[in-house]
Amino acid sequence: MPFKPLTVLVLAWLTGLPLATLPVPGRAAEQMPVDLELVLAVDISGSIDADEAKLQREGYARALIDKDVIKAIRGGIHGKIAIAYFDWSDSYVQNDILDWTLIHDEASAQAVSRRLLEQQTRTARRTSISGAINHAIPRFGSGPYKGVRKVLDISGDGPNNDGGPIDLARDKALAAGIVINGLPIMNGKVNTWGFPVLEDLDRYFEGCVIGGPGSFVVVAEGFNTFHEAVRRKLILEIATAPSVPPAWQRIGPPVTHKAQSGYRYPKGCDIGERQSQEFWRRRFDQ
């Protein structure tokens, strides 16, 4: 049980300890300022097989050491960012792979890349983007670094179909000052389990997942070129000024765009849950 401040002072007086050497109760250690706190949240649901999960991990590891990504990091006010990385699937499955780590030059980026590749990749079952967001929210500000901006980077190949509503989780993150960017994976692959594919997943991400000033979506068209989409997105995330408002405009290749202000996904943000219910209803009816 921690001593109260007055108790600490009395004990110091009785023992003759100098007050300047005593810790001040409730005072947190000073956090290092960085340009960005970036959480990378990576989908390992059942629609992603072991080889694809490995390609995703390698894509992030390869993108982080890209010279243009490092240049973007070095070009910030502080010239450094802090990143954390976790895999996610079901509402109760979030595997923390990398705790808050500083990147400020090529050597630190190489070290992070190696640490990611050293960790085992595995896959789970369902898709809970809301679970990933709720897991990420308390991580911001919890490490030894304090970012000018807080960004959650979510990759995934399907809509939310487990856990709480995605739009409520998103709004909770936005209220905490966290910007959410999206990396939908759209390779046209038929789901292993026969689960329906959402053809306009990019629009779903725009209307239901991302949000905050300057938020955007970059589409990955496959796992073999996944690193290029990650590289492009990291550069945009690191270099984007916090004052840039969301606007519907092309900012690169056709697969890259910012969120349309006020855009609502016409099929509803619960499309994944409805697809799941219909899928299992048909399975049980057979």
Side-chain angles (χ1 to χ4, degrees):
M1 178 178 178
F3 291 117
K4 295 181 179 180
L6 181 59
T7 305
V8 173
L9 292 174
V10 171
L11 288 174
W13 178 75
L14 290 173
T15 57
L17 289 174
L19 298 182
T21 64
L22 294 173
V24 178
R27 179 181 294 173
E30 186 175 354
Q31 293 174 304
M32 177 186 293
V34 294
D35 294 305
L36 175 67
E37 289 176 59
L38 176 62
V39 173
L40 304 175
V42 183
D43 184 4
I44 55 164
S45 59
S47 55
I48 295 175
D49 62 32
D51 290 337
E52 291 168 340
K54 185 171 182 290
L55 286 171
Q56 273 194 112
R57 181 73 60 79
E58 291 173 349
Y60 278 100
R62 182 175 172 184
L64 284 168
I65 60 176
D66 181 86
K67 61 180 178 62
D68 290 328
V69 172
I70 296 172
K71 181 179 178 181
I73 294 172
R74 300 280 292 172
I77 297 172
H78 299 291
K80 50 194 173 225
I81 68 170
I83 75 163
Y85 183 113
F86 70 90
D87 294 332
W88 59 269
S89 178
D90 307 60
S91 60
Y92 56 88
V93 176
Q94 296 91 29
N95 304 318
D96 292 318
I97 304 299
L98 181 73
D99 202 358
W100 287 113
T101 305
L102 189 70
I103 298 181
H104 59 92
D105 59 10
E106 183 177 351
S108 56
Q110 290 278 2
V112 168
S113 178
R114 287 194 299 271
R115 287 177 62 185
L116 289 180
L117 293 176
E118 289 168 356
Q119 300 295 318
Q120 182 180 357
T121 57
R122 54 175 63 89
T123 59
R125 189 172 181 181
R126 297 180 69 84
T127 303
S128 182
I129 304 174
S130 59
I133 294 175
N134 288 327
H135 179 74
I137 291 173
R139 301 199 68 183
F140 287 97
S142 66
Y145 310 105
K146 183 176 180 60
V148 176
R149 292 180 292 129
K150 300 176 181 179
V151 174
L152 172 57
D153 175 330
I154 296 182
S155 69
D157 73 340
N160 191 79
N161 61 31
D162 190 38
I166 179 60
D167 49 345
L168 296 184
R170 175 200 60 196
D171 293 347
K172 182 180 177 182
L174 300 187
I178 300 167
V179 172
I180 303 177
N181 294 328
L183 184 64
I185 304 167
M186 303 175 65
N187 59 357
K189 174 187 171 185
V190 177
N191 189 287
T192 305
W193 306 97
F195 197 83
V197 175
L198 190 62
E199 299 294 342
D200 57 349
L201 184 64
D202 53 344
R203 293 295 187 180
Y204 171 85
F205 264 69
E206 291 157 19
C208 303
V209 179
I210 71 170
S215 58
F216 61 87
V217 165
V218 172
V219 176
E221 297 179 311
F223 289 97
N224 290 323
T225 58
F226 185 77
H227 74 277
E228 174 55 30
V230 175
R231 184 192 75 87
R232 189 184 311 142
K233 189 148 89 74
L234 287 174
I235 292 171
L236 289 169
E237 283 168 333
I238 295 165
T240 298
S243 60
V244 176
W248 185 256
Q249 55 179 314
R250 298 292 179 183
I251 55 176
V255 295
T256 308
H257 46 77
K258 290 193 176 182
Q260 182 179 13
S261 181
Y263 172 71
R264 292 181 179 275
Y265 183 61
K267 297 177 184 177
C269 291
D270 63 342
I271 181 66
E273 287 85 349
R274 287 186 281 114
Q275 282 184 332
S276 180
Q277 291 170 5
E278 178 64 16
F279 172 76
W280 289 111
R281 185 188 65 78
R282 290 180 177 179
R283 291 287 292 268
F284 288 130
D285 287 346
Q286 290 178 354

